Amino acid sequence: MYILGLCDSKQMNSNMVIHIKERYRRFRAWQESPFHYAMQEGEAHCCRNCGHEFVGNFCPCCGQKATLGEVNWPSVRENVMEVWGVGTRSMSYTLWQLFLRPGYLIRDYIEGKRQVSFPPVKMLLIVGVICMLLTNLIEPFVQEEVTQEESTGMDFFQWAEANQGWAMLLTCSVMILPTWILFRHAPRCSAHSLPAGFFIQVFLSTLTLMICTLSELLSPILVMVPIYYVVAYRQLFGYGLWGTLWRMAVCVMAVVLVAISIAFFVADLSQLEVDKGLPVWQIRVIVVVQLVIYASAILGIGYAIGRRTQEKRLKKNQS
């Protein structure tokens, strides 16, 4: 009896593993291609808007749906939900996809599959406003007195706190050029360009903003930001884990150097001016030029390594 029970237990575990693998396989297939379109053929429709007779899902003259019928309660529900961005090109559905398949969603948008995606810049600004309201509810805003000496350096941070959507977009936009330099020869996303990089960072900014807001309630969630970036870049560009990690590390180092150089323009350097005996503008120019040179060198080395890796991959595929 013991042996039979042990065999049954092993069989159940084996079946569970097979079931989990099958569910994961279906999930991966859904991540890569979640949309399926069917064309209505053979049945003729008369458009209620313009009277044109056609075959298909939409009228070729005015674009109205073929299945649009009388006004009823479902039509009321659809119109009410569209006010909150939960109708056609749903914002909620786009955000759900952004959590479950970030890189594939971004690649679909860049490659032209935009009909089911909510406009990304509009989505970022709406999410920014919602996150700002939630943050103020979670942590009541306490206005601190800022002296005249401190106001110069704090103006930018006060603006960023009040405009989280724009601030997140500005912060992540610094990643556009490094990403384009290091990922332009990726196996996937052949349409990657600087404008495409803008939309890549808009989507990732939206995701980052939501995670940062949730971290106000659950602090450990904040660690999901770098994980999501790695997952999104890997799904989007098609590199392996190591190829994605080192390219992202190079991007981050370059961005940190640029961020430090920007910080010199908002920092108070009066004491440093006294110590060095140089005007403030000369100190800023020297530091910024040095940091830009360092960032350019890092990106250049990363690009050279990536280019060499691509050439080896092409030679291997040809052979």
Side-chain angles (χ1 to χ4, degrees), residues 214-263:
L214 291 175
S215 68
E216 298 288 341
L217 293 174
L218 299 171
S219 299
I221 292 181
L222 195 60
V223 76
M224 296 299 294
V225 173
I227 295 176
Y228 260 112
Y229 261 82
V230 173
V231 171
Y233 271 61
R234 190 177 180 186
Q235 292 179 353
L236 176 61
F237 296 111
Y239 285 115
L241 181 60
W242 170 244
T244 303
L245 284 175
W246 77 258
R247 285 177 175 84
M248 287 194 64
V250 173
C251 288
V252 170
M253 285 190 291
V255 169
V256 168
L257 292 176
V258 173
I260 294 174
S261 64
I262 294 175

Coordinates of all heavy atoms in Angstrom, one line a residue, residues 214-263:
L214 N 2.7 52.4 -6.0 CA 2.4 51.2 -5.2 C 3.4 51.0 -4.1 O 3.0 50.4 -3.1 CB 2.3 50.0 -6.1 CG 1.1 49.9 -7.1 CD1 1.2 48.7 -8.0 CD2 -0.2 49.9 -6.4
S215 N 4.6 51.4 -4.3 CA 5.7 51.2 -3.3 C 5.4 52.0 -2.1 O 6.0 51.8 -1.0 CB 7.0 51.5 -3.9 OG 7.2 52.9 -4.2
E216 N 4.5 53.1 -2.2 CA 4.2 53.8 -1.0 C 3.4 53.0 0.0 O 3.5 53.2 1.2 CB 3.3 55.0 -1.4 CG 4.0 56.0 -2.4 CD 5.1 56.8 -1.7 OE1 5.0 56.9 -0.4 OE2 5.9 57.4 -2.3
L217 N 2.7 52.0 -0.5 CA 2.0 51.0 0.3 C 2.8 49.8 0.7 O 2.8 49.4 1.8 CB 0.7 50.6 -0.3 CG -0.4 51.7 -0.5 CD1 -1.5 51.1 -1.3 CD2 -0.9 52.2 0.8
L218 N 3.5 49.3 -0.3 CA 4.3 48.1 -0.1 C 5.8 48.4 -0.6 O 6.0 48.4 -1.8 CB 3.7 46.9 -0.9 CG 2.3 46.5 -0.5 CD1 1.8 45.4 -1.5 CD2 2.3 45.9 0.9
S219 N 6.6 48.8 0.3 CA 8.0 49.2 -0.1 C 8.8 48.2 -0.9 O 9.5 48.5 -1.9 CB 8.8 49.6 1.1 OG 8.2 50.6 1.8
P220 N 8.6 46.8 -0.6 CA 9.4 45.9 -1.4 C 9.1 45.8 -2.9 O 9.9 45.3 -3.7 CB 9.1 44.5 -0.8 CG 8.6 44.9 0.6 CD 8.0 46.2 0.5
I221 N 7.9 46.4 -3.3 CA 7.5 46.4 -4.7 C 8.5 47.2 -5.5 O 8.6 47.0 -6.7 CB 6.1 46.9 -4.9 CG1 5.1 45.9 -4.2 CG2 5.7 47.1 -6.3 CD1 3.7 46.3 -4.3
L222 N 9.2 48.2 -4.9 CA 10.1 49.1 -5.6 C 11.2 48.3 -6.4 O 11.7 48.8 -7.4 CB 10.7 50.1 -4.7 CG 11.4 51.3 -5.3 CD1 10.4 52.1 -6.2 CD2 12.0 52.2 -4.3
V223 N 11.6 47.1 -5.9 CA 12.6 46.3 -6.5 C 12.1 45.8 -7.9 O 12.9 45.4 -8.7 CB 13.0 45.2 -5.6 CG1 12.0 44.1 -5.6 CG2 14.4 44.6 -6.0
M224 N 10.8 45.9 -8.1 CA 10.3 45.4 -9.4 C 10.6 46.3 -10.6 O 10.6 45.9 -11.7 CB 8.7 45.3 -9.3 CG 8.2 44.3 -8.3 SD 8.8 42.6 -8.7 CE 7.9 42.3 -10.3
V225 N 11.0 47.6 -10.3 CA 11.3 48.5 -11.4 C 12.5 48.0 -12.2 O 12.4 47.8 -13.5 CB 11.6 49.9 -10.8 CG1 12.1 50.8 -12.0 CG2 10.4 50.5 -10.2
P226 N 13.7 47.7 -11.7 CA 14.8 47.2 -12.5 C 14.4 45.8 -13.1 O 14.9 45.5 -14.3 CB 16.0 47.1 -11.6 CG 15.4 47.0 -10.2 CD 14.1 47.9 -10.3
I227 N 13.7 45.0 -12.4 CA 13.3 43.7 -13.0 C 12.4 43.9 -14.2 O 12.6 43.2 -15.3 CB 12.6 42.8 -11.9 CG1 13.5 42.5 -10.8 CG2 12.0 41.6 -12.5 CD1 12.9 41.8 -9.6
Y228 N 11.5 44.8 -14.1 CA 10.6 45.0 -15.3 C 11.4 45.6 -16.4 O 11.1 45.3 -17.6 CB 9.4 46.0 -14.9 CG 8.1 45.2 -14.6 CD1 7.6 45.2 -13.3 CD2 7.4 44.6 -15.6 CE1 6.4 44.5 -13.1 CE2 6.3 44.0 -15.4 CZ 5.7 43.9 -14.1 OH 4.6 43.2 -13.9
Y229 N 12.3 46.5 -16.2 CA 13.1 47.0 -17.2 C 13.9 45.9 -18.0 O 14.0 45.9 -19.2 CB 14.1 48.1 -16.7 CG 13.6 49.5 -16.8 CD1 12.7 50.1 -16.0 CD2 14.1 50.3 -17.9 CE1 12.3 51.4 -16.1 CE2 13.7 51.6 -18.1 CZ 12.8 52.1 -17.2 OH 12.3 53.4 -17.3
V230 N 14.5 45.0 -17.2 CA 15.2 43.9 -17.8 C 14.3 43.0 -18.7 O 14.6 42.7 -19.8 CB 16.0 43.1 -16.8 CG1 16.6 41.8 -17.4 CG2 17.0 43.9 -16.1
V231 N 13.1 42.7 -18.1 CA 12.2 41.9 -18.8 C 11.7 42.6 -20.1 O 11.6 42.0 -21.2 CB 11.0 41.5 -17.9 CG1 9.8 40.9 -18.7 CG2 11.4 40.6 -16.8
A232 N 11.4 43.9 -20.0 CA 10.9 44.6 -21.1 C 11.9 44.7 -22.2 O 11.6 44.5 -23.4 CB 10.4 46.0 -20.7
Y233 N 13.1 45.0 -21.9 CA 14.2 45.2 -22.9 C 14.5 43.8 -23.5 O 14.8 43.7 -24.7 CB 15.5 45.7 -22.2 CG 15.5 47.2 -22.2 CD1 14.6 48.0 -21.6 CD2 16.6 47.9 -22.9 CE1 14.6 49.4 -21.6 CE2 16.7 49.3 -22.9 CZ 15.7 50.0 -22.2 OH 15.7 51.4 -22.2
R234 N 14.4 42.8 -22.7 CA 14.7 41.4 -23.3 C 13.6 41.0 -24.3 O 13.9 40.5 -25.3 CB 14.8 40.4 -22.2 CG 15.4 39.1 -22.6 CD 15.5 38.1 -21.5 NE 16.0 36.8 -22.0 CZ 16.2 35.7 -21.2 NH1 15.9 35.8 -19.9 NH2 16.6 34.6 -21.7
Q235 N 12.3 41.2 -23.9 CA 11.3 40.9 -24.8 C 11.3 41.8 -26.0 O 11.0 41.3 -27.1 CB 9.9 41.1 -24.1 CG 9.7 40.1 -23.0 CD 8.3 40.3 -22.3 OE1 7.7 41.3 -22.5 NE2 8.0 39.4 -21.4
L236 N 11.6 43.1 -25.9 CA 11.6 44.0 -27.0 C 12.7 43.8 -28.0 O 12.4 43.8 -29.2 CB 11.6 45.4 -26.4 CG 11.7 46.6 -27.4 CD1 10.5 46.6 -28.3 CD2 11.8 47.9 -26.7
F237 N 13.9 43.6 -27.5 CA 15.1 43.6 -28.4 C 15.6 42.2 -28.7 O 16.3 42.0 -29.7 CB 16.2 44.4 -27.8 CG 15.9 45.9 -27.7 CD1 15.7 46.5 -26.5 CD2 15.7 46.6 -28.8 CE1 15.4 47.8 -26.3 CE2 15.4 48.0 -28.7 CZ 15.2 48.6 -27.5
G238 N 15.2 41.2 -27.9 CA 15.5 39.8 -28.2 C 16.9 39.3 -27.8 O 17.3 38.2 -28.2
Y239 N 17.7 40.1 -27.1 CA 19.0 39.6 -26.6 C 18.7 38.6 -25.4 O 17.7 38.6 -24.8 CB 19.8 40.8 -26.1 CG 20.4 41.6 -27.1 CD1 20.1 42.9 -27.3 CD2 21.4 41.1 -28.0 CE1 20.6 43.7 -28.3 CE2 22.0 41.9 -29.0 CZ 21.6 43.2 -29.2 OH 22.2 43.9 -30.2
G240 N 19.7 37.8 -25.1 CA 19.7 37.0 -24.0 C 19.8 37.8 -22.7 O 19.9 39.0 -22.7
L241 N 19.8 37.1 -21.5 CA 19.8 37.7 -20.2 C 21.1 38.5 -20.1 O 21.1 39.7 -19.7 CB 19.6 36.7 -19.1 CG 19.6 37.3 -17.7 CD1 18.5 38.3 -17.5 CD2 19.5 36.2 -16.7
W242 N 22.2 37.9 -20.3 CA 23.5 38.6 -20.1 C 23.7 39.7 -21.1 O 24.1 40.8 -20.7 CB 24.6 37.6 -20.3 CG 26.0 38.2 -20.4 CD1 26.9 38.2 -21.4 CD2 26.6 39.0 -19.3 NE1 28.0 38.9 -21.1 CE2 27.9 39.4 -19.8 CE3 26.3 39.4 -18.1 CZ2 28.8 40.2 -19.1 CZ3 27.1 40.2 -17.3 CH2 28.4 40.6 -17.8
G243 N 23.3 39.5 -22.4 CA 23.4 40.6 -23.4 C 22.5 41.8 -23.0 O 22.9 43.0 -23.2
T244 N 21.4 41.5 -22.4 CA 20.5 42.6 -22.0 C 21.0 43.3 -20.8 O 21.0 44.6 -20.7 CB 19.1 42.1 -21.7 OG1 18.5 41.4 -22.8 CG2 18.1 43.2 -21.3
L245 N 21.6 42.6 -19.8 CA 22.0 43.1 -18.5 C 23.2 44.1 -18.8 O 23.2 45.2 -18.2 CB 22.4 42.0 -17.6 CG 21.3 41.3 -16.9 CD1 21.8 40.1 -16.1 CD2 20.4 42.3 -16.0
W246 N 24.2 43.6 -19.5 CA 25.4 44.5 -19.6 C 25.1 45.7 -20.5 O 25.7 46.8 -20.2 CB 26.6 43.7 -20.2 CG 26.7 43.4 -21.6 CD1 26.4 42.3 -22.3 CD2 27.1 44.3 -22.7 NE1 26.6 42.4 -23.6 CE2 27.0 43.6 -23.9 CE3 27.5 45.6 -22.7 CZ2 27.3 44.2 -25.1 CZ3 27.8 46.2 -23.9 CH2 27.8 45.5 -25.1
R247 N 24.3 45.6 -21.5 CA 23.9 46.8 -22.2 C 23.1 47.8 -21.4 O 23.3 49.0 -21.5 CB 23.1 46.4 -23.5 CG 23.9 45.8 -24.6 CD 23.1 45.3 -25.7 NE 23.9 44.8 -26.8 CZ 24.4 43.6 -26.9 NH1 24.1 42.7 -26.0 NH2 25.1 43.2 -28.0
M248 N 22.2 47.3 -20.6 CA 21.5 48.2 -19.7 C 22.4 48.8 -18.6 O 22.2 50.0 -18.3 CB 20.3 47.4 -19.0 CG 19.2 47.0 -19.9 SD 17.7 46.5 -19.0 CE 17.3 48.0 -18.1
A249 N 23.4 48.1 -18.1 CA 24.3 48.6 -17.2 C 25.1 49.8 -17.8 O 25.3 50.8 -17.1 CB 25.2 47.5 -16.7
V250 N 25.5 49.6 -19.0 CA 26.2 50.7 -19.7 C 25.3 51.9 -19.9 O 25.7 53.1 -19.7 CB 26.7 50.2 -21.1 CG1 27.3 51.4 -21.9 CG2 27.8 49.1 -20.9
C251 N 24.1 51.7 -20.3 CA 23.1 52.8 -20.4 C 22.9 53.5 -19.1 O 22.9 54.8 -19.1 CB 21.7 52.2 -20.9 SG 21.7 51.7 -22.6
V252 N 22.8 52.8 -18.0 CA 22.6 53.4 -16.7 C 23.8 54.2 -16.3 O 23.6 55.3 -15.7 CB 22.2 52.3 -15.6 CG1 22.2 52.9 -14.2 CG2 20.9 51.7 -15.9
M253 N 25.0 53.7 -16.5 CA 26.2 54.5 -16.2 C 26.3 55.8 -16.9 O 26.6 56.8 -16.4 CB 27.4 53.6 -16.4 CG 27.7 52.5 -15.4 SD 29.3 51.7 -15.6 CE 29.1 50.9 -17.2
A254 N 25.9 55.7 -18.2 CA 26.0 57.0 -19.0 C 24.9 58.0 -18.5 O 25.1 59.2 -18.4 CB 25.7 56.6 -20.5
V255 N 23.7 57.4 -18.2 CA 22.6 58.3 -17.7 C 23.0 58.9 -16.4 O 22.7 60.1 -16.1 CB 21.3 57.5 -17.6 CG1 20.2 58.3 -16.8 CG2 20.8 57.1 -19.0
V256 N 23.6 58.1 -15.5 CA 24.0 58.7 -14.2 C 25.0 59.8 -14.3 O 24.9 60.9 -13.7 CB 24.7 57.6 -13.3 CG1 25.3 58.2 -12.1 CG2 23.6 56.6 -12.9
L257 N 26.0 59.7 -15.3 CA 26.9 60.8 -15.5 C 26.2 62.0 -16.0 O 26.5 63.2 -15.7 CB 28.0 60.3 -16.5 CG 28.9 59.2 -16.0 CD1 29.9 58.8 -17.1 CD2 29.7 59.8 -14.8
V258 N 25.2 61.8 -16.9 CA 24.5 63.0 -17.5 C 23.6 63.6 -16.3 O 23.6 64.8 -16.3 CB 23.6 62.5 -18.6 CG1 22.6 63.6 -19.0 CG2 24.4 62.0 -19.8
A259 N 23.1 62.8 -15.5 CA 22.3 63.3 -14.4 C 23.1 64.1 -13.4 O 22.7 65.2 -12.9 CB 21.6 62.2 -13.6
I260 N 24.3 63.7 -13.2 CA 25.2 64.4 -12.3 C 25.6 65.8 -12.9 O 25.6 66.8 -12.2 CB 26.5 63.6 -12.0 CG1 26.2 62.4 -11.2 CG2 27.5 64.5 -11.3 CD1 27.3 61.4 -11.0
S261 N 25.8 65.8 -14.2 CA 26.1 67.0 -14.9 C 25.0 68.0 -14.8 O 25.1 69.2 -14.7 CB 26.5 66.8 -16.3 OG 25.4 66.2 -17.1
I262 N 23.7 67.5 -15.0 CA 22.6 68.3 -14.9 C 22.4 68.9 -13.5 O 22.0 70.1 -13.2 CB 21.3 67.6 -15.3 CG1 21.4 67.2 -16.8 CG2 20.0 68.4 -15.0 CD1 20.2 66.3 -17.2
A263 N 22.8 68.1 -12.5 CA 22.6 68.5 -11.1 C 23.5 69.7 -10.8 O 23.2 70.5 -9.9 CB 23.0 67.4 -10.1

